Amino acid sequence: MSKKTFYVSTPIYYPSGKLHIGHAYTTTLADILKRYKKEMGYETFFLTGSDEHGQKIEQKAEESKVSPQEYVDEMVLGFKELWRLLDISNDKFIRTTDSYHVETVKKIFTEIYKKGFIYPSIYEGKYCKSCEEFLTKEQMNEKGEHLVCLKEATNFKEETYMLKVSNFVNYLNEIFETNFLEPENRKKEMLNNFVNNNLEDLSITRISFTWGIPINENPKHIVYVWLDALTNYITALGYMQKDDNLFKKFWSKDTEIVQLVGKEITRFHSIYWPIILKTLDLRMPDKLLSHGWILSNNNKMSKSIGNVVDPIELIKKYSSDALRFYIANDLPMNRDGSFTEELFVESFNTNLANNFGNLISRVSQMIIKYFDGLLKATDIENHALVKEGIKTIESYQKLMNQYNISEATSKIIKLGQECNKFIEDSKPWVLAKENKIDELNNVLTILQRNILIISYLLKPILVKKYSQMIEQMGVDEEQVTFDNLLKNKIKYNKITNKLVLFERIK
Ligand code: MSP
């Protein structure tokens, strides 16, 4: 029996600066997956949040002359506002400064400590403050800079508690045999560069700053950001808390658990996170989707490089649907993508305005003009384009079940193109002139049915425009489900509206 509960999460973002389109990217993809699963009848839970502790945040607050708590409180308002503007439907927003999280992280530390997987030590090595990450040789260039952010790594020597990661090399090799991490090339990178390359124990506490969670065992130590951060995925559900119903439901073996992360934090999620879960005797997520970066001028868009695109400006100028569509269609997860406003506008005009927009407005206008808004019932089920529509639903579902949003979207685009071509080939305006009413009725019925399919498949993406698209076909929203579309059980009402759905951007 297939699983019917679905839990999707994004990384929790550092409030050390405003969020940019790279962060909007991950969160939108997670949102689209959640909305799709909902249409498939799943009970869903979608988590995002903020990762608020650490040295960098402490420094930022100092620069702004406010307390760390005041600093993060202010920044998080901006996060929440972005998610509202982008129609993100998260069920919970976790802040690592939330008291339930703080208390649970202490308990988790104690639990792992008691089991003997944590020991006191001294850690010596290289550290990237900007990314809050201990670095191996492979992660730096010859100048000693971290390859991800090009900031100089600092020397580091500190008393610390270590997690016995090296005990788990066999376990990691076992789990890497499964397909929990995608894409495939990232899996090889993790195995070759880390798992099977003298995997070292991980430092999990710090003593040289205070903005973090102190451990009960020795309160001068605060939990180093990653143990604090990774555990958010379970503390948010109520793990080790009085009310743990969500945890019982969404971290159970029957739930499909999918986590999205960018490639530079894949190491933490594919190596340390499974180990933490193992020490707690908890299950692994089913899938870790590691996506590429959005580049601008060939560099990772990032606050520290200063080449960021502000998603709020894009939403205000072009709408959240436009940005969501661009993310879904034009930025595949398995490679780095580029963002420029020209590419964005071009994709909008080609796909939303010329393909879908045009199709919907032409067909609805013809139904109004030639049939007063209501077509006559007719059997078109054997027509090739109707079969194509059904096939599109099936291949879309197959791809979405593999979390391949961009390929799934391209199937919808293809159906739209075929419908537009069908209009050119069948020339309804000629049929009307020649009074071939039955043929005209068939052509428009085929198109109307396919437009409904197209609109429904776009529903997880085009959150705002979806209702209008459906209304434009004369259909009540609650009727549109996968089941009704596949079984052709939709009742059409008279179309009266003439809406312009996607106006070309000049
Ligand atoms: N706080 C940690 C994550 C802890 S999760 C338990 C962190 N935060 S972050 O704010 O720096 O980044 C969060 C996510 O945003 C990462 O997955 C990262 O890959 C993603 N992105 C940041 N810049 C990006 C691009 N330019 N392009 C795509 N995603 C990018 O890491």
Side-chain angles (χ1 to χ4, degrees), residues 85-329:
L85 291 171
L86 195 53
D87 295 302
I88 298 300
S89 62
N90 55 302
D91 297 286
K92 182 159 183 159
F93 186 101
I94 182 169
R95 300 182 56 181
T96 53
T97 52
D98 286 336
S99 58
Y100 71 84
H101 177 78
V102 170
E103 289 317 309
T104 312
V105 167
K106 290 182 188 176
K107 285 191 205 160
I108 288 175
F109 186 97
T110 301
E111 174 81 9
I112 304 178
Y113 185 68
K114 273 206 230 141
K115 287 185 170 168
F117 296 114
I118 290 175
Y119 63 96
S121 175
I122 291 192
Y123 186 82
E124 192 166 3
K126 290 281 183 185
Y127 189 71
C128 174
K129 244 190 237 172
S130 176
C131 302
E132 303 278 17
E133 181 170 358
F134 297 103
L135 303 178
T136 61
K137 284 198 297 294
E138 287 79 10
Q139 291 175 287
M140 291 175 286
N141 62 21
E142 63 289 354
K143 287 193 251 168
E145 295 164 341
H146 184 198
L147 288 172
V148 167
C149 62
L150 301 180
K151 291 266 162 69
E152 197 184 336
T154 48
N155 287 322
F156 183 92
K157 188 174 178 188
E158 209 171 279
E159 174 189 324
T160 183
Y161 284 82
M162 304 284 280
L163 180 67
K164 278 192 183 168
V165 170
S166 50
N167 272 25
F168 293 88
V169 173
N170 287 343
Y171 175 66
L172 289 173
N173 273 295
E174 253 168 54
I175 59 170
F176 272 88
E177 296 265 303
T178 68
N179 290 326
F180 91 100
L181 172 62
E182 280 184 43
E184 187 71 22
N185 56 350
R186 208 88 76 217
K187 192 163 135 179
K188 292 202 184 101
E189 181 192 329
M190 291 298 126
L191 283 170
N192 297 339
N193 293 357
F194 301 105
V195 178
N196 295 321
N197 183 24
N198 287 326
L199 187 65
E200 287 178 11
D201 290 347
L202 179 73
S203 159
I204 50 169
T205 66
R206 302 285 310 271
I207 53 168
S208 53
F209 62 96
T210 54
W211 181 237
I213 304 175
I215 57 169
N216 289 331
E217 290 70 13
N218 187 349
K220 80 172 179 193
H221 283 258
I222 58 165
V223 173
Y224 161 61
V225 283
W226 281 97
L227 182 68
D228 172 3
L230 289 165
T231 49
N232 93 86
Y233 302 122
I234 48 177
T235 64
L237 298 177
Y239 176 61
M240 285 189 172
Q241 294 153 56
K242 228 199 233 138
D243 180 1
D244 63 355
N245 287 332
L246 282 175
F247 177 76
K248 282 196 186 117
K249 182 183 283 175
F250 289 103
W251 207 267
S252 75
K253 66 177 189 351
D254 296 329
T255 298
E256 181 178 338
I257 305 179
V258 177
Q259 307 203 306
L260 280 92
V261 294
K263 60 181 177 184
E264 84 283 16
I265 59 170
T266 303
R267 174 187 170 200
F268 296 98
H269 286 81
S270 66
I271 297 177
Y272 305 122
W273 179 223
I275 291 176
I276 294 168
L277 288 168
K278 180 80 180 157
T279 62
L280 296 169
D281 297 318
L282 296 178
R283 60 156 293 180
M284 286 261 299
D286 292 287
K287 203 50 103 181
L288 180 62
L289 298 174
S290 165
H291 62 71
W293 289 335
I294 301 180
L295 308 175
S296 133
N297 307 327
N298 288 327
N299 278 319
K300 175 180 179 241
M301 202 176 278
S302 85
K303 294 170 279 220
S304 45
I305 299 177
N307 55 351
V308 295
V309 173
D310 181 355
I312 294 192
E313 275 170 32
L314 285 175
I315 296 168
K316 288 198 169 144
K317 200 159 158 195
Y318 301 113
S319 81
S320 70
D321 278 359
L323 180 53
R324 293 172 64 96
F325 183 82
Y326 187 78
I327 286 172
N329 183 55

Side-chain angles (χ1 to χ4, degrees), residues 12 34 105 167 169 251 346 382 400 405 434 482:
I12 45 174
K34 168 194 160 164
V105 167
N167 272 25
V169 173
W251 207 267
E346 193 186 305
N382 283 324
M400 287 297 277
I405 297 173
E434 294 174 354
F482 278 118

Side-chain angles (χ1 to χ4, degrees), residues 261-505:
V261 294
K263 60 181 177 184
E264 84 283 16
I265 59 170
T266 303
R267 174 187 170 200
F268 296 98
H269 286 81
S270 66
I271 297 177
Y272 305 122
W273 179 223
I275 291 176
I276 294 168
L277 288 168
K278 180 80 180 157
T279 62
L280 296 169
D281 297 318
L282 296 178
R283 60 156 293 180
M284 286 261 299
D286 292 287
K287 203 50 103 181
L288 180 62
L289 298 174
S290 165
H291 62 71
W293 289 335
I294 301 180
L295 308 175
S296 133
N297 307 327
N298 288 327
N299 278 319
K300 175 180 179 241
M301 202 176 278
S302 85
K303 294 170 279 220
S304 45
I305 299 177
N307 55 351
V308 295
V309 173
D310 181 355
I312 294 192
E313 275 170 32
L314 285 175
I315 296 168
K316 288 198 169 144
K317 200 159 158 195
Y318 301 113
S319 81
S320 70
D321 278 359
L323 180 53
R324 293 172 64 96
F325 183 82
Y326 187 78
I327 286 172
N329 183 55
D330 295 72
L331 299 169
M333 273 194 246
N334 57 358
R335 55 182 144 93
D336 292 346
S338 270
F339 183 89
T340 66
E341 204 158 333
E342 292 80 68
L343 288 173
F344 178 85
V345 169
E346 193 186 305
S347 165
F348 182 96
N349 283 340
T350 309
N351 299 309
L352 293 179
N354 296 354
N355 187 358
F356 302 135
N358 222 357
L359 175 67
I360 295 174
S361 91
R362 281 162 97 189
V363 171
S364 61
Q365 277 175 32
M366 288 191 282
I367 297 175
I368 294 171
K369 183 167 166 195
Y370 301 134
F371 293 93
D372 198 23
L374 195 60
L375 297 168
K376 290 178 291 174
T378 177
D379 183 8
I380 40 92
E381 288 310 292
N382 283 324
H383 190 275
L385 193 54
V386 172
K387 291 190 174 152
E388 199 53 40
I390 301 293
K391 251 174 62 193
T392 302
I393 299 181
E394 288 161 359
S395 45
Y396 166 93
Q397 285 183 337
K398 189 162 171 233
L399 287 160
M400 287 297 277
N401 291 343
Q402 298 163 350
Y403 322 111
N404 192 341
I405 297 173
S406 59
E407 283 282 320
T409 310
S410 74
K411 298 285 177 204
I412 319 174
I413 292 177
K414 189 158 157 274
L415 184 61
Q417 288 163 341
E418 277 166 19
C419 288
N420 276 311
K421 181 165 180 299
F422 181 61
I423 298 181
E424 298 310 317
D425 293 347
S426 56
K427 301 191 176 49
W429 48 93
V430 174
L431 298 177
K433 212 183 252 163
E434 294 174 354
N435 220 11
K436 294 182 175 159
I437 297 304
D438 285 344
E439 221 176 304
L440 179 61
N441 186 68
N442 281 352
V443 165
L444 292 176
T445 305
I446 292 164
L447 287 164
Q448 186 180 30
R449 177 140 156 66
N450 274 307
I451 289 175
L452 214 55
I453 292 175
I454 290 171
S455 306
Y456 186 59
L457 300 187
L458 288 167
K459 183 178 181 185
I461 305 174
L462 302 179
V463 173
K464 287 227 162 65
K465 278 284 190 257
Y466 172 70
S467 303
Q468 287 178 18
M469 291 163 83
I470 294 297
E471 191 189 329
Q472 194 60 54
M473 287 297 107
V475 175
D476 294 331
E477 254 186 66
E478 67 274 13
Q479 284 210 45
V480 193
T481 61
F482 278 118
D483 214 35
N484 283 352
L485 281 173
L486 287 167
K487 294 188 183 140
N488 193 21
K489 284 198 326 211
I490 308 271
K491 183 179 169 304
Y492 295 88
N493 305 317
K494 185 168 166 162
I495 305 171
T496 48
N497 284 336
K498 280 190 192 169
L499 306 166
V500 179
L501 290 168
F502 303 102
E503 219 161 334
R504 262 186 84 82
I505 303 170

